[in-house]
Each structure stands twice: as C-alpha cells, then as structure tokens.
Amino acid sequence: MEHWFTLYLLTRLDAIVWAALILMVLFPAASAFVLVVGYDSDKLDRAKPLARKLLVAAACSLFVAVFTPSQKDALFIAGGAAVIEAAKSETAQRVAGKSVEAVERWLDSVMQEEKNRSGE
C-alpha cells in the first residue's frame, strides 16, 4: 500500500485530460469575452492583461491535455516496467537457465532416439 496515491491518480487520468480539454476551450472563450467587454466599455487597456493571462492558462491546459497519458496507456507503461524488472530478477534468470537446460536435455533425448531408430 505504499503507492496508493499513484494508483489513485492512475484511475483519474482520463478525468484529468477531459478537465484540461474543457479548460482549454473555456479560457480562450473567456479571453474573447473580456476583450469584447473591454472594447465596449472603452477599458481595453485594462482588459488586455487579463485576456493574455487567460490565453496563457489555455496554453497550460493544452500542455496538460497533450502530455497526460490515458489510463490505458499508463497501465501499459506500468505493466511493461514491471515485466522488465521481473525479468531482471535473480529468480527469473535462474528459471530461464533451468528451462534452457530442460529443453536441451529433451532435444538430446529426441536426437538419441532418432539415432537409435535410424541405426537399427
């Protein structure tokens, strides 16, 4: 249970991406609204900095949406890393060595049987 928060975040990745996509649409719309209201009320100089900040927030939302993997992709990545770590373990190396030895013994016995049959 040491990585409970990581596991929780893995379950929420799709929601994070959707929230970022929604904000990526809402921030430019709010920026346009602020500029229109500022233009109508002759306060465009005060509206421009706020509109610029909203566009920066939209760019940050785009960054989050693009670079956050989906839940499925994150699980594939975690599974692949776990398989690689398991393959590097001493037990896996020992099992692989024993498996190769068993296959070699079986092939030797098959070859010996073939020689015995052909020599008869």
mmCIF file of all heavy atoms in Angstrom, residues 35 45 47 55 65 75 86 107-108:
data_model
loop_
_atom_site.group_PDB
_atom_site.id
_atom_site.type_symbol
_atom_site.label_atom_id
_atom_site.label_comp_id
_atom_site.label_asym_id
_atom_site.label_seq_id
_atom_site.Cartn_x
_atom_site.Cartn_y
_atom_site.Cartn_z
ATOM 1 N N LEU A 35 -12.164 40.705 -23.766
ATOM 2 C CA LEU A 35 -11.750 41.713 -24.751
ATOM 3 C C LEU A 35 -12.952 42.450 -25.340
ATOM 4 O O LEU A 35 -12.910 43.663 -25.541
ATOM 5 C CB LEU A 35 -10.936 41.050 -25.859
ATOM 6 C CG LEU A 35 -9.522 40.630 -25.466
ATOM 7 C CD1 LEU A 35 -8.864 39.880 -26.602
ATOM 8 C CD2 LEU A 35 -8.686 41.823 -25.058
ATOM 9 N N ASP A 45 -7.424 48.743 -22.356
ATOM 10 C CA ASP A 45 -6.093 48.675 -21.757
ATOM 11 C C ASP A 45 -6.090 47.821 -20.488
ATOM 12 O O ASP A 45 -5.096 47.161 -20.193
ATOM 13 C CB ASP A 45 -5.582 50.088 -21.426
ATOM 14 C CG ASP A 45 -5.307 50.895 -22.684
ATOM 15 O OD1 ASP A 45 -5.100 50.261 -23.746
ATOM 16 O OD2 ASP A 45 -5.305 52.132 -22.608
ATOM 17 N N ALA A 47 -8.325 45.368 -19.983
ATOM 18 C CA ALA A 47 -8.785 44.025 -20.347
ATOM 19 C C ALA A 47 -7.691 43.190 -21.000
ATOM 20 O O ALA A 47 -7.685 41.965 -20.872
ATOM 21 C CB ALA A 47 -9.981 44.130 -21.289
ATOM 22 N N LEU A 55 -5.212 33.382 -21.907
ATOM 23 C CA LEU A 55 -4.626 32.628 -23.022
ATOM 24 C C LEU A 55 -3.428 31.797 -22.570
ATOM 25 O O LEU A 55 -3.212 30.694 -23.060
ATOM 26 C CB LEU A 55 -4.249 33.574 -24.163
ATOM 27 C CG LEU A 55 -5.430 34.190 -24.907
ATOM 28 C CD1 LEU A 55 -4.952 35.192 -25.952
ATOM 29 C CD2 LEU A 55 -6.284 33.115 -25.552
ATOM 30 N N ALA A 65 -3.209 18.511 -21.312
ATOM 31 C CA ALA A 65 -4.028 17.568 -22.082
ATOM 32 C C ALA A 65 -3.181 16.710 -23.017
ATOM 33 O O ALA A 65 -3.433 15.520 -23.182
ATOM 34 C CB ALA A 65 -5.081 18.329 -22.888
ATOM 35 N N LEU A 75 -1.357 2.313 -17.736
ATOM 36 C CA LEU A 75 -1.311 0.932 -17.250
ATOM 37 C C LEU A 75 -0.387 0.078 -18.106
ATOM 38 O O LEU A 75 0.322 -0.795 -17.584
ATOM 39 C CB LEU A 75 -2.712 0.342 -17.194
ATOM 40 C CG LEU A 75 -3.616 0.950 -16.119
ATOM 41 C CD1 LEU A 75 -5.033 0.398 -16.245
ATOM 42 C CD2 LEU A 75 -3.063 0.701 -14.736
ATOM 43 N N ALA A 86 10.828 -7.647 -13.410
ATOM 44 C CA ALA A 86 10.703 -9.060 -13.050
ATOM 45 C C ALA A 86 11.677 -9.913 -13.850
ATOM 46 O O ALA A 86 12.253 -10.871 -13.325
ATOM 47 C CB ALA A 86 9.271 -9.535 -13.286
ATOM 48 N N LEU A 107 15.867 -32.264 -26.130
ATOM 49 C CA LEU A 107 16.334 -32.351 -27.508
ATOM 50 C C LEU A 107 17.404 -33.427 -27.662
ATOM 51 O O LEU A 107 17.427 -34.151 -28.666
ATOM 52 C CB LEU A 107 16.875 -30.993 -27.979
ATOM 53 C CG LEU A 107 15.827 -29.914 -28.245
ATOM 54 C CD1 LEU A 107 16.504 -28.587 -28.567
ATOM 55 C CD2 LEU A 107 14.908 -30.323 -29.367
ATOM 56 N N ASP A 108 18.279 -33.530 -26.670
ATOM 57 C CA ASP A 108 19.294 -34.581 -26.712
ATOM 58 C C ASP A 108 18.652 -35.964 -26.702
ATOM 59 O O ASP A 108 19.080 -36.865 -27.429
ATOM 60 C CB ASP A 108 20.274 -34.439 -25.545
ATOM 61 C CG ASP A 108 21.209 -33.250 -25.707
ATOM 62 O OD1 ASP A 108 21.335 -32.744 -26.853
ATOM 63 O OD2 ASP A 108 21.799 -32.822 -24.695
#
